[in-house]
Amino acid sequence: MAVEANGTVVVECVVPQSEAEVRALLADPQRAGALTPEILGVTTLSKGDCLTLGVTVKGAWDPLTYTSSRCATATGYKYELLSSDDITAYEAEWRLVPQSGGGTKVTYRVLTEVDLPVPKSLLRKGIVDSATETIKSLVRQLAKAR
């Protein structure tokens, strides 16, 4: 786990499953969203080359909502914020790299900024905890699928 200078949290692991198996798990935006403990719900608002998603997440007091794009990439999926009243920045990416000895290196990157009276250090800790739990949840779901 690492936190980049701009606040992006990066969590990586290697799983024994193939890239195709990991991609199959992440292909459904609702199923992929369920991996993140703070996500309460994901709705597909429009389809096309990229999906438009309506997302509800746990907030400090009340749930927060945002709209994001979700695009398939050569190595996984990328999310970008389209609109929100409280979330000022959101980018996330799943990157899948097949390993020469078998398995797949999975990298999950996420950057979130909010316009709420929450200390940045507390927000960052929550994002680190969430990203770590998201990867652990992915590993558990992949193990169940075998």
Side-chain angles (χ1 to χ4, degrees):
M1 191 282 306
V3 179
E4 296 177 347
N6 71 348
T8 299
V9 175
V10 182
V11 183
E12 295 180 328
C13 71
V14 176
V15 296
Q17 290 80 4
S18 69
E19 178 190 5
E21 290 172 287
V22 179
R23 190 178 287 273
L25 176 75
L26 297 173
D28 176 5
Q30 284 78 19
R31 193 170 177 203
L35 297 172
T36 301
E38 285 71 32
I39 293 182
L40 301 173
V42 175
T43 304
T44 301
L45 302 175
S46 70
K47 296 183 179 186
D49 289 340
C50 295
L51 301 178
T52 300
L53 304 176
V55 184
T56 303
V57 296
K58 295 176 187 173
W61 299 274
D62 294 314
L64 306 175
T65 59
Y66 65 91
T67 303
S68 72
S69 65
R70 178 183 193 261
C71 301
T73 67
T75 59
Y77 295 94
K78 186 166 179 95
Y79 300 75
E80 291 186 355
L81 180 69
L82 296 175
S83 65
S84 176
D85 289 339
D86 301 306
I87 299 170
T88 56
Y90 171 73
E91 295 176 11
E93 180 182 20
W94 287 101
R95 189 176 300 156
L96 313 175
V97 178
Q99 300 298 283
S100 58
T104 305
K105 179 179 179 182
V106 179
T107 304
Y108 179 61
R109 301 169 51 84
V110 62
L111 169 71
T112 304
E113 298 290 339
V114 296
D115 186 21
L116 295 171
V118 178
K120 281 197 182 273
S121 60
L122 184 60
L123 176 64
R124 199 71 59 229
K125 181 187 179 323
I127 295 167
V128 166
D129 292 348
S130 176
T132 302
E133 190 53 42
T134 298
I135 283 284
K136 288 178 181 177
S137 183
L138 174 78
V139 170
R140 285 191 298 270
Q141 290 300 314
L142 288 168
K144 281 184 191 178
R146 283 207 140 184

